Amino acid sequence: MSELIISPTVSLYIGAFVQWGFLMAFLYSLAHSINKPNKERVYLSLVMSISYSFSIFTNLDTVTYLDFLFSDILTLLVIISLRRLWHGGITYLYIITGLAVNSALHFLMHYDIYISNNTSYWWLWNAYVIGVNAADFIMVAIFFINKDFLALAAIKIWFHNSIMKKE
């Protein structure tokens, strides 16, 4: 994929760091929950670690934004289908939100470059680079922090309550 905004070498290092982060999150979650009944973070980190490990086999010269989109959507579907294994805590909310943000950004880049045939650099491309990397790092961090540091749960509750008031 020669039109990637970040060079393939830098993308490789960022991807390796994120993969390592999810592997460490899995090991940390596994060790932290040995004698606890709630294994939500273990399952989520395992799914994320496996999902992001498949990028080891990705050739950065031939991959497209659509490939990234399908990978994120598949991961989202797996997590949603395994929802009965956990209680829907903070970690689940952050992972679902992060994957949704990544999916939207991958779709927008695919649409911009391949469908609209845009080849000139503009603000969406910066938003893509910052957004995808920030979402990946936040998804890794939530396993270690386990706090609602972006207030996503509060926003979810506020949004749910405002919808319920209208009905």
Side-chain angles (χ1 to χ4, degrees), residues 27-121:
L27 294 174
Y28 174 77
S29 299
L30 185 64
H32 191 263
S33 70
I34 285 179
N35 293 325
K36 296 180 182 173
N38 185 2
K39 305 287 188 206
E40 170 187 357
R41 291 171 52 206
V42 175
Y43 298 135
L44 282 171
S45 60
L46 178 62
V47 169
M48 294 303 292
S49 183
I50 291 170
S51 172
Y52 275 68
S53 293
F54 281 123
S55 65
I56 293 171
F57 307 109
T58 302
N59 183 358
L60 289 178
D61 294 326
T62 60
V63 71
T64 64
Y65 295 105
L66 204 56
D67 296 331
F68 292 137
L69 174 66
F70 290 147
S71 174
D72 283 347
I73 289 175
L74 179 63
T75 305
L76 264 171
L77 292 174
V78 167
I79 289 173
I80 291 170
S81 68
L82 295 174
R83 174 109 163 94
R84 61 180 160 67
L85 296 176
W86 42 74
H87 304 89
I90 298 294
T91 308
Y92 176 80
L93 179 63
Y94 273 75
I95 295 298
I96 292 296
T97 304
L99 287 171
V101 166
N102 278 355
S103 297
L105 289 170
H106 293 316
F107 174 75
L108 289 172
M109 286 300 289
H110 173 77
Y111 183 82
D112 185 49
I113 292 174
Y114 294 107
I115 297 173
S116 298
N117 293 321
N118 183 19
T119 56
S120 57
Y121 191 83

Side-chain angles (χ1 to χ4, degrees), residues 127-141:
Y128 172 80
V129 170
I130 293 168
V132 167
N133 289 319
D136 286 344
F137 291 131
I138 288 170
M139 286 188 292
V140 169

